[in-house]
Amino acid sequence: MADGDHTLKINAALAERLRAVSDGLGKSVDEYATQLLDAFTGLDPRKHDEAYWGEVQRICDETERDGGIPWEQAQTRLRNFGQQR
């Protein structure tokens, strides 16, 4: 192991869930777990990538042009996200 590297131990159930998702994405478990940790900690390199944000903006513009969901409706859905129905 190189200096500064760490090994993270996780339980079998979590490892299996990571494996199932990473396999579905065509990624290794290490690659997928690293991507998740980067995104969660704010280290995701896409957050500093102009091309990525340009694509996000294009998708937003297209959604608005095509009559996407009104903000008020999206806001209500977000407030209820994860709530029992």
Side-chain angles (χ1 to χ4, degrees), residues 29-84:
V29 172
D30 286 350
E31 181 182 13
Y32 179 61
T34 299
Q35 181 182 353
L36 289 175
L37 290 169
D38 284 347
F40 184 75
T41 60
L43 300 175
D44 188 341
R46 294 176 301 176
K47 292 184 177 183
H48 308 287
D49 181 359
E50 291 296 324
Y52 173 77
W53 288 111
E55 177 68 6
V56 169
Q57 186 62 54
R58 186 196 63 74
I59 291 167
C60 291
D61 291 344
E62 182 180 315
T63 301
E64 288 176 346
R65 186 177 56 252
D66 295 343
I69 299 171
W71 170 243
E72 293 76 16
Q73 186 179 356
Q75 192 174 28
T76 300
R77 289 182 184 180
L78 288 172
R79 282 193 189 117
N80 296 322
F81 187 75
Q83 302 290 326
Q84 290 286 347

